[in-house]
Amino acid sequence: MTTGPLIARKLPPILSLLDSCTHMNQLKQIHAHIIIQGLSRSNFTGSRLIAFCAVSPYASIDHAKLIFAQIQEPSIFTWNSMIRGLSMSSNPKEAIVFYSQLLCKNTQPNNFTFPFVIKACTEAAAVETGLLLHNHVIKLGLELDAYVLSSLIHMYASGGKIDAAIKLFAEASEEEVVSWNAMIDGYVKSRDLQSARSIFDRMQQKDVVSWNTMMNGYANFGLIEEALILFDKNPKKNTVSWNAMIAGYTKCGDVENARKFFDQMPKRDVISWNSMLACYAQSSRSNEALNLFKQMLSHDIRPTEATVVSVLSACAHLGALDQGKWVHNYIDREKVRLNAILGTALLDMYVKCGNLGSAVKVFEILKEKDVLAWNTMIAGFAMNGYAEKAMHLFVQMHDMGFKPDDLTFVGMLSACSHAGWVDDGCRILKSMCDDYGIEPKVEHYGCVIDLLGRAGLLDEAIELISSMPMEPNASAWGALLGGCRIHGDVELGEWVGRRLIELEPHHSGRYVLLSNIYAAANRWEDAKRVRNMMKARGVAKSPGWSMIEIKGIVHQFLASDRMHHESEAIYAMLNEITKRLRTEGGYEPDTKQVLFDIGEEEKEHALSVHSEKLAIAFGFLHLGSDEVIRIVKNLRVCGDCHSVTKMISRVYKREIVVRDRNRFHHFKDGVCSCMDYW
Ligand code: ZN
Ligand code: ZN
């Protein structure tokens, strides 16, 4: 539907260019010509421009607002365009604001105004305002208009006022397909699939929207089998139907089938590409996401905000800083607006790539900050060991009137834990409940147990674990076991370790930790026994990997990996490094350590090599001597790799940043930012 009747008149040639406009820059050129040709004061020209800016995926609602502000007496067509655009924007409440401004200007809304302003109420969950609008509709005698009626039905049904929706629906005739569709969608939104289906089945004249809405309902609830049956039966399949199936498979975590649908669909739009990208990004198949993104660009599909968010999340996961920076440049170049979602995705990418300087810059220029943005920045400081900065930000967040949520506190507590701030951690845990009314969850307790354990306050850690109002989970016990390991408390470690192995018999890390505790106390027989138990139960160590990005390509290495095509050069480089560390750094691999304290990564004998060493050697081969080597690893760094990396940073004067499962290690001049406390 359009936003109102346009009087048939010949368009000035410059305006007819709008139809082929696919970029904001083109729009600005057209706008400039309009000003030069003296057409900018014309109401008609302005309203056409706004109509384009408000609804085209290639323009922006902000630009529409600018043009709108310059129009002296906007026509109802222009108002409707603005309201329509705003109702589809990330802030639909603004459409309601525009509607009330329209009333103040004594302009009368028409049957094209209401569907969009009512939609805005639905999106913004403002049912009370919706009731007012319903009154206006009755006053103006528009309640029989099919589009107005269907928007009201939809608003009531999706807002949980199903009786009101049914009452209105009873007035709709058989032929009013939009009203039937609204009722189906309303039921779907209020999670009543059965009622939705019964309306769908009763419908005489289903259009493609009816089919897609019902199918989408099933897909969204993960009922992919039902969705597939409808998909196959649907005589009017279009791109939306295919996209719904991709989204449905994504929801079920079935990447293969999502890709199958993506490959087979006859025609793809930007939403198809975005859905497939989101599917890869959400399933942590980040390399595939980046490959698909490259394909998308080579097909000349212009990325949208959703594309950029998925790509940034893939970069964050891989620690692919170069590609992340490319996306950032793209955002700047194309003037994509940094709203809260996109800004936070960008922030998260810099944080997870260990580039805190850029993260802080993004955080500072981000105008629309929500709690998630603050949480991301706080967690970023925490992971990188900057507890003071996290604390400072927390105070600032508070001063600016943002209410911290439980994720904020996970960030704060882990900041304390990584920095060893015992008193602050305990104080924050108490203050959560006392000052902010947030009940600490098991992960909050876990952080503090970890903190106490690392600080050697094992008695206090046990006291806390036994006073928790909930059953301690494996990660709480794991935190305590970590503390036992660091402080060599074999007796307690043995007790906790056995308990943990019972709780999680398939988690290799638990066996490794207990065996290492025995090994450190020279109880070799016990260490061996735990390892044998692990083998006998068929528990395999999780395959450890490390990744490094070189010139926009992410290379992944496994332990003792020889698959890489430059394998020979990598091992030669590693030999050279080890030799130099022996002569200049005094490196002496501790055989006891190598054989028994072997970390979580696969490493069965002294000659095998952990993956991050291969990645570092690869970095030496391909990066300039002043470039930072950045590695991402899926497990914790082991003791041997940690001390070797420190030594490399001193002997070679190289900065190395390693992100492990828990935190960042910034190695420089022989020191690690974690202060050997990880
Ligand atoms: Zn290692
Ligand atoms: Zn470290």
Side-chain angles (χ1 to χ4, degrees):
M1 112 182 249
T2 67
T3 41
L6 254 188
I7 311 146
R9 61 192 278 186
K10 205 166 171 294
L11 285 177
I14 186 78
L15 279 183
S16 58
L17 285 178
L18 279 178
D19 293 333
S20 53
C21 178
T22 57
H23 196 270
M24 197 61 199
N25 287 344
Q26 291 171 343
L27 177 82
K28 285 184 178 159
Q29 281 172 12
I30 297 172
H31 195 177
H33 277 285
I34 287 173
I35 296 172
I36 294 165
Q37 292 179 17
L39 292 168
S40 60
R41 286 171 188 279
S42 142
N43 233 327
F44 178 73
T45 316
S47 59
R48 287 294 304 209
L49 268 178
I50 288 176
F52 177 81
C53 290
V55 299
S56 163
Y58 299 112
S60 91
I61 191 73
D62 289 335
H63 199 71
K65 282 192 221 163
L66 284 179
I67 302 172
F68 186 83
Q70 287 163 10
I71 297 182
Q72 299 273 322
E73 277 174 42
S75 66
I76 184 63
F77 174 80
T78 312
W79 281 105
N80 287 351
S81 298
M82 277 312 292
I83 290 173
R84 179 185 182 187
L86 289 167
S87 76
M88 302 189 301
S89 73
S90 56
N91 188 8
K93 274 190 183 146
E94 270 190 283
I96 306 172
V97 175
F98 263 73
Y99 174 78
S100 53
Q101 283 171 2
L102 170 158
L103 295 182
C104 291
K105 291 263 162 76
N106 280 327
T107 307
Q108 184 163 313
N110 64 13
N111 54 331
F112 294 100
T113 318
F114 285 108
F116 298 114
V117 68
I118 293 171
K119 177 181 190 297
C121 291
T122 313
E123 300 290 329
V127 182
E128 295 305 315
T129 316
L131 287 174
L132 270 176
L133 290 171
H134 192 173
N135 280 336
H136 293 184
V137 167
I138 295 172
K139 230 183 265 170
L140 292 168
L142 294 172
E143 72 268 38
L144 291 179
D145 181 280
Y147 285 98
V148 177
L149 182 67
S150 67
S151 62
L152 282 169
I153 293 174
H154 188 239
M155 176 190 77
Y156 283 125
S158 39
K161 298 204 180 307
I162 217 73
D163 290 344
I166 293 173
K167 214 167 122 200
L168 284 179
F169 181 61
E171 291 168 25
S173 73
E174 276 287 314
E175 295 85 52
E176 277 169 19
V177 179
V178 276
S179 298
W180 287 72
N181 290 346
M183 199 65 212
I184 296 176
D185 196 33
Y187 272 129
V188 167
K189 295 250 161 69
S190 57
R191 314 179 73 84
D192 183 356
L193 284 185
Q194 229 176 353
S195 304
R197 182 61 193 252
S198 97
I199 303 265
F200 177 81
D201 287 339
R202 262 168 52 208
M203 240 179 136
Q204 298 294 325
Q205 301 159 326
K206 299 179 184 68
D207 66 4
V208 65
V209 179
S210 332
W211 283 95
N212 287 345
T213 309
M214 196 61 235
M215 217 183 74
N216 231 329
Y218 285 130
N220 267 330
F221 283 89
L223 299 170
I224 197 73
E225 301 287 317
E226 314 279 340
L228 186 59
I229 294 172
L230 283 193
F231 178 85
D232 287 336
K233 277 193 195 157
N234 184 350
K236 298 165 181 170
K237 274 193 265 302
N238 60 8
T239 309
V240 179
S241 329
W242 287 85
N243 291 347
M245 288 307 292
I246 297 176
Y249 281 118
T250 301
K251 197 137 258 172
C252 308
D254 185 345
V255 184
E256 267 59 43
N257 266 316
R259 183 64 201 237
K260 204 174 94 191
F261 271 75
F262 180 80
D263 285 337
Q264 287 174 354
M265 66 194 293
K267 199 169 159 268
R268 296 181 201 116
D269 60 9
V270 68
I271 297 174
S272 328
W273 288 90
N274 286 350
S275 307
M276 197 58 229
L277 271 174
C279 179
Y280 281 135
Q282 285 164 27
S283 327
S284 302
R285 289 169 63 161
S286 307
N287 258 327
E288 281 153 294
L290 293 186
N291 283 337
L292 190 73
F293 178 59
K294 281 174 195 152
Q295 266 180 50
M296 178 177 176
L297 293 178
S298 71
H299 279 78
D300 268 338
I301 312 283
R302 187 166 286 285
T304 64
E305 183 197 313
T307 321
V308 177
V309 169
S310 291
V311 174
L312 283 173
S313 125
C315 292
H317 180 245
L318 294 172
L321 184 60
D322 286 346
Q323 291 178 85
K325 277 186 184 158
W326 185 90
V327 176
H328 191 177
N329 275 337
Y330 178 86
I331 293 172
D332 284 348
R333 197 173 63 229
E334 303 291 319
K335 309 227 170 354
V336 184
R337 197 170 65 98
L338 267 196
N339 61 14
I341 297 174
L342 182 53
T344 308
L346 190 58
L347 189 63
D348 187 51
M349 182 279 291
Y350 278 123
V351 162
K352 297 232 170 86
C353 289
N355 191 332
L356 272 190
S358 300
V360 170
K361 270 188 210 144
V362 172
F363 186 73
E364 278 166 359
I365 58 162
L366 188 58
K367 287 195 198 91
E368 298 175 32
K369 287 189 195 66
D370 56 10
V371 176
L372 195 59
W374 289 90
N375 289 352
T376 307
M377 198 64 241
I378 289 176
F381 282 137
M383 271 200 290
N384 285 276
Y386 299 111
E388 254 158 70
K389 289 186 175 162
M391 207 64 95
H392 182 72
L393 205 62
F394 180 74
V395 174
Q396 214 181 326
M397 174 182 184
H398 192 272
D399 289 347
M400 289 183 71
F402 285 93
K403 206 174 152 346
D405 61 12
D406 54 299
L407 277 180
T408 320
F409 285 104
V410 172
M412 290 303 296
L413 291 171
S414 78
C416 294
S417 159
H418 289 314
W421 289 5
V422 176
D423 293 343
D424 291 281
C426 295
R427 187 175 49 74
I428 291 172
L429 183 70
K430 196 167 165 320
S431 146
M432 267 182 83
C433 190
D434 294 355
D435 303 329
Y436 296 93
I438 301 174
E439 275 312 317
K441 292 188 181 150
V442 67
E443 57 263 44
H444 299 110
Y445 284 105
C447 286
V448 181
I449 292 164
D450 183 60
L451 171 60
L452 293 169
R454 282 164 194 276
L457 300 168
L458 294 171
D459 290 340
E460 284 83 346
I462 293 171
E463 206 181 300
L464 185 61
I465 215 170
S466 46
S467 72
M468 278 163 62
M470 69 285 285
E471 195 61 34
N473 64 3
S475 72
W477 288 117
L480 184 57
L481 187 60
C484 297
R485 146 95 210 266
I486 295 171
H487 296 282
D489 191 327
V490 189
E491 209 178 314
L492 182 61
E494 192 170 20
W495 183 75
V496 178
R498 283 196 180 148
R499 209 177 164 127
L500 252 177
I501 288 173
E502 258 167 54
L503 262 173
E504 287 189 323
H506 298 292
H507 189 308
S508 60
R510 311 302 185 203
Y511 296 87
V512 173
L513 208 51
L514 179 57
S515 141
N516 284 343
I517 288 176
Y518 284 133
N522 294 326
R523 284 170 59 176
W524 308 112
E525 280 310 308
D526 287 322
K528 216 158 123 193
R529 189 173 45 76
V530 174
R531 270 166 203 270
N532 287 342
M533 188 202 311
M534 176 175 155
K535 269 187 202 146
R537 290 185 181 175
V539 181
K541 284 212 214 175
S542 21
W545 48 250
S546 296
M547 292 190 292
I548 181 169
E549 183 197 39
I550 306 281
K551 294 185 184 70
I553 294 172
V554 177
H555 300 260
Q556 188 179 39
F557 297 93
L558 301 170
S560 303
D561 198 339
R562 290 196 178 264
M563 301 292 282
H564 197 278
H565 64 278
E566 288 180 50
S567 197
E568 239 169 84
I570 294 170
Y571 279 90
M573 175 54 85
L574 194 58
N575 270 336
E576 200 187 307
I577 295 174
T578 316
K579 231 192 242 157
R580 195 165 155 192
L581 292 189
R582 282 218 172 115
T583 52
E584 289 178 44
Y587 175 55
E588 206 47 68
D590 179 353
T591 44
K592 216 165 53 185
Q593 172 111 342
V594 170
L595 280 175
F596 285 93
D597 177 8
I598 58 174
E600 293 173 16
E601 193 169 359
E602 192 67 52
K603 188 176 177 186
E604 283 307 315
H605 50 84
L607 287 177
S608 56
V609 183
H610 274 172
S611 54
E612 68 254 53
K613 287 186 182 154
L614 296 173
I616 291 173
F618 191 64
F620 265 83
L621 287 172
H622 288 280
L623 293 172
S625 56
D626 53 343
E627 283 180 274
V628 180
I629 298 178
R630 295 172 191 277
I631 313 276
V632 170
K633 183 174 168 63
N634 66 330
L635 303 173
R636 266 178 204 254
V637 177
C638 79
D640 179 49
C641 290
H642 197 268
S643 56
V644 167
T645 314
K646 280 202 294 190
M647 232 176 265
I648 294 175
S649 77
R650 177 166 57 85
V651 172
Y652 285 87
K653 301 205 181 349
R654 288 294 286 251
E655 218 179 310
I656 301 172
V657 178
V658 177
R659 180 180 101 196
D660 76 2
R661 196 180 59 203
N662 271 19
R663 63 166 297 149
F664 275 94
H665 303 263
H666 293 256
F667 297 93
K668 204 182 167 186
D669 302 327
V671 183
C672 179
S673 62
C674 74
M675 307 310 284
D676 302 335
Y677 197 74
W678 80 98

